[in-house]
């Protein structure tokens, strides 16, 4: 594998406050792009990229040290949100809460930015709302449109926002789940939101929460798609630059711990600000040391322990003649396995229910991705759950494996067998 300097730029200033006072606190080495699954019939030299996290001493944003060309990251994207029933149910709850709280009507336009295969939009559609998606992955936009959720194959920016405004009018509700952390130019993103959002509209950002990332050693959710790792403090700073006001924040357990940030235009005083919800998280971040560099410098120690513990366990089990497979050919699984040096000598294969991933090899360590019937045809003794954020759902759907003596390995926040 070779390092691909030509496909990325190095970060020299903070994306939010432009400070150059950035300190590296995590270095996972040279890691391949985690959603670039390998076609075994068309193998080519895989590229690796430095995977490091920097902490901004000015505004407390954590961010990758490089920005990979998004055209390379998202041109043909195999990740599908709707594979998980847990996530689909989460999206239904989000849609119901939005309709109830903001009295959304059937004439209201709901836009989902980075709408993937239409998973969240279909849940909003169940309430009879006008729905529209936008996603740069042409393969996903086509799947979503074919499933009845109209999706524009494009990146979210002022040009695409203007096109939607001209063709469909202003949006009453703009949903941005698992995309705001993926964006390099946050100013352009928010200028586009202001173009399309009604004066009385609501904009919601859902991102993984850095508090959970640090507290639960979720280092494997560091990958080249995730440019920013948010706390409430830098998020508010970025939004205020564009006259956008946070009026509520909810914590969710999804994806290892996320925050759902409710935003309105500053001029729209019709929606009161829940100061307690906002201030309590800002206070919590400060109290647990997330606004201090020292907390981050201590993080790598916990990462190293996960690496040594998972390797020791896999090597012990294999030396005992046990067969270990994995479940969830996830981005986080690719980071964990490449960082720890896990290959098919230690993990025989990876099960994934995403049809488009089956038959491919995982990036970098090239472990075969197979359907769930391998649990019967090539039954393992242990299942390492790479998609630990969905461990409950995966264990529920593999009851037969469990009932016939199969055991699970959960790697995060600490390696354990259940
Ligand atoms: O931000 C992102 C997050 C939301 O999703 C993306 N940039 C990348 C992606 O990260 P991930 O791949 O680590 O996400 P997941 O949702 O943890 O991946 C789960 C994987 O496990 C998928 O490949 C689907 C698979 N899966 C499965 O095969 N059967 C998951 C469940 C629940 C299942 O039952």
């Amino acid at each position: 594998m070779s390092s691909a300097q030509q496909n990325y730029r190095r970060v020299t200033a903070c994306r939010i406050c432009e400070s150059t006072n950035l300190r590296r606190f995590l270095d996972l080495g040279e890691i391949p792009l985690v959603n670039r699954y390998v076609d075994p019939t068309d193998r080519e030299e895989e590229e690796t990229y430095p995977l490091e996290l920097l902490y901004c001493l000015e505004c407390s944003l954590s961010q990758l040290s490089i920005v990979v060309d998004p055209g390379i990251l998202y041109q043909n994207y195999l990740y599908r949100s709707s594979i998980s029933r847990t996530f689909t149910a989460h999206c239904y709850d989000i849609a119901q809460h939005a309709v109830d709280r903001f009295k959304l009507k059937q004439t209201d336009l709901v836009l989902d930015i980075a709408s993937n295969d239409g998973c969240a939009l279909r849940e909003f559609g169940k309430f009879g709302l006008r729905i529209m998606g936008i996603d740069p992955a042409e393969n996903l936009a086509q799947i979503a449109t074919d499933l009845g959720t109209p999706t524009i194959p494009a990146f979210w920016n002022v040009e695409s926002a203007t096109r939607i405004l001209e063709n469909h009018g202003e949006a009453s509700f703009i949903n941005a789940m698992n995309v705001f952390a993926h964006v390099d130019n946050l100013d352009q993103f928010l200028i586009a939101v202001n173009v399309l959002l009604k004066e009385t509209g609501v904009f919601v950002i859902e991102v993984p929460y850095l508090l959970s990332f640090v507290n639960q050693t979720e280092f494997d959710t560091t990958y080249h798609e995730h440019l920013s790792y948010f706390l409430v403090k830098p998020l508010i700073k970025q939004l205020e630059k564009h006259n956008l006001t946070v009026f509520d924040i909810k914590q969710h357990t999804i994806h290892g711990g996320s925050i759902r940030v409710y935003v309105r235009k500053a001029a729209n005083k019709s929606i009161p600000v829940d100061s307690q919800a906002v201030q309590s998280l800002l206070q919590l971040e400060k109290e647990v040391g997330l606004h201090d560099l020292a907390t981050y410098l201590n993080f790598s120690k916990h990462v190293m322990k996960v690496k040594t513990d998972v390797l020791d366990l896999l090597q012990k089990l294999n030396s005992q003649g046990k067969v270990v497979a994995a479940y969830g050919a996830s981005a986080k699984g690719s980071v964990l396995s490449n960082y720890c040096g896990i290959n098919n000598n230690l993990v025989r294969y990876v099960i994934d229910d995403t049809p488009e991933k089956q038959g491919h090899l995982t990036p970098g360590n090239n472990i075969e991705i197979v359907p769930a019937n391998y649990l019967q045809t090539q039954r393992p003794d242990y299942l390492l759950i790479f998609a630990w954020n969905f461990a409950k759902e995966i264990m529920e759907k593999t009851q037969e494996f469990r009932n016939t003596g199969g055991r699970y390995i959960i790697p995060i926040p600490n390696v354990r067998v259940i």
Side-chain angles (χ1 to χ4, degrees):
M1 292 190 279
S2 63
S3 185
Q5 281 90 339
Q6 73 279 11
N7 294 333
Y8 65 84
R9 71 171 180 81
R10 280 216 168 270
V11 170
T12 54
C14 177
R15 157 168 312 110
I16 285 186
C17 70
E18 298 177 22
S19 166
T20 55
N21 201 355
L22 305 174
R23 294 291 171 76
R24 188 176 71 180
F25 68 89
L26 183 65
D27 180 359
L28 297 177
E30 288 281 329
I31 299 286
L33 299 180
V34 290
N35 267 306
R36 295 296 292 272
Y37 297 91
V38 175
D39 177 348
T41 64
D42 179 22
R43 304 199 47 168
E44 54 193 27
E45 170 102 14
E46 287 186 79
E47 293 167 335
T48 60
Y49 297 74
L51 190 55
E52 306 164 302
L53 277 181
L54 310 176
Y55 174 75
C56 174
L57 278 85
E58 187 64 36
C59 76
S60 299
L61 179 72
S62 292
Q63 54 210 297
L64 289 189
S65 64
I66 64 169
V67 175
V68 176
D69 174 358
I72 293 174
L73 291 175
Y74 301 111
Q75 60 193 14
N76 179 42
Y77 200 61
L78 299 188
Y79 174 75
R80 291 189 56 179
S81 308
S82 59
I83 294 293
S84 164
R85 285 197 303 272
T86 306
F87 186 72
T88 304
H90 171 71
C91 292
Y92 180 81
D93 293 343
I94 294 304
Q96 183 166 48
H97 176 266
V99 169
D100 293 348
R101 181 170 180 181
F102 306 113
K103 307 291 182 271
L104 296 176
K105 303 179 299 301
Q106 301 207 345
T107 52
D108 284 322
L109 176 65
V110 172
L111 174 80
D112 190 22
I113 301 174
S115 49
N116 195 272
D117 63 359
C119 178
L121 270 184
R122 276 189 291 283
E123 301 313 308
F124 278 93
K126 288 176 181 172
F127 296 88
L129 301 164
R130 283 196 300 137
I131 55 172
M132 175 63 64
I134 183 166
D135 196 290
E138 291 183 11
N139 63 310
L140 292 176
Q142 191 56 59
I143 290 170
T145 303
D146 293 347
L147 289 171
T149 38
T151 302
I152 299 165
F155 281 100
W156 173 251
N157 53 38
V158 172
E159 189 274 327
S160 54
T162 305
R163 200 160 18 119
I164 295 169
L165 179 66
E166 288 164 355
N167 295 327
H168 303 278
E170 291 180 315
S172 304
F173 192 91
I174 297 179
N175 191 46
M177 292 171 103
N178 301 308
V179 56
F180 205 62
H182 298 55
V183 174
D184 186 24
N185 190 327
L186 295 173
D187 290 321
Q188 282 304 310
F189 188 100
L190 294 178
I191 290 168
V193 167
N194 274 321
V195 162
L196 189 67
L197 189 67
K198 266 183 185 171
E199 281 312 303
T200 56
V202 173
F203 167 46
V204 181
I205 297 170
E206 183 169 294
V207 285
Y209 193 21
L210 187 65
L211 182 138
S212 307
F213 177 95
V214 171
N215 286 351
Q216 296 165 177
T217 317
E218 297 174 358
F219 72 93
D220 56 347
T221 62
T222 308
Y223 36 82
H224 297 103
E225 299 168 10
H226 277 183
L227 299 177
S228 302
Y229 298 72
F230 282 110
L231 293 171
V232 172
K233 178 186 165 192
L235 202 48
I236 288 176
K237 185 179 183 68
Q238 175 59 27
L239 290 164
E240 286 177 344
K241 284 197 261 181
H242 296 273
N243 298 315
L244 290 167
T245 301
V246 175
F247 65 84
D248 196 1
I249 305 177
K250 301 283 187 217
Q251 283 186 274
H252 290 273
T253 57
I254 200 75
H255 285 308
S258 299
I259 45 175
R260 196 160 173 76
V261 183
Y262 292 82
V263 182
R264 62 163 167 79
K265 291 189 173 181
N268 170 21
K269 306 297 184 192
S270 68
I271 304 178
V273 173
D274 182 343
S275 306
Q276 203 279 329
V278 178
Q279 292 308 317
S280 60
L281 282 179
L282 281 170
Q283 186 57 28
L284 176 62
E285 290 172 2
K286 190 174 176 59
E287 283 168 2
V288 300
L290 287 169
H291 298 169
D292 306 318
L293 173 62
T295 304
Y296 300 88
L297 300 180
N298 194 36
F299 182 67
S300 284
K301 194 168 56 179
H302 302 289
V303 174
M304 190 51 72
K305 181 164 178 11
V306 170
K307 175 174 180 176
T308 48
D309 288 355
V310 76
L311 274 178
D312 289 350
L313 177 61
L314 293 179
Q315 283 156 356
K316 184 183 82 174
L317 292 174
N318 277 273
S319 67
Q320 293 168 349
K322 301 295 185 186
V323 174
V324 181
Y327 209 119
S330 55
K332 57 176 71 70
S334 292
V335 170
L336 179 78
S337 51
N338 279 285
Y339 172 64
C340 295
I342 297 169
N343 52 33
N344 50 20
N345 292 336
L346 293 174
V347 168
R348 189 69 56 87
Y349 56 76
V350 185
I351 290 170
D352 199 289
D353 297 313
T354 312
E356 293 82 2
K357 293 186 179 179
Q358 293 167 3
H360 285 79
L361 306 174
T362 57
N365 48 8
N366 295 169
I367 302 174
E368 193 186 5
I369 302 171
V370 300
N373 64 3
Y374 267 57
L375 285 178
Q376 286 79 41
T377 58
Q378 295 194 34
R379 190 184 181 286
D381 300 301
Y382 289 81
L383 265 183
L384 170 57
I385 301 186
F386 277 158
W388 46 264
N389 48 316
F390 294 129
K392 182 173 178 293
E393 179 176 353
I394 290 169
M395 289 193 284
E396 282 168 0
K397 74 192 311 182
T398 55
Q399 284 288 357
E400 185 196 351
F401 165 75
R402 185 194 189 102
N403 295 339
T404 52
R407 307 288 298 279
Y408 300 96
I409 302 168
I410 314 286
I412 297 292
N414 53 285
V415 182
R416 58 210 189 276
V417 177
I418 49 181

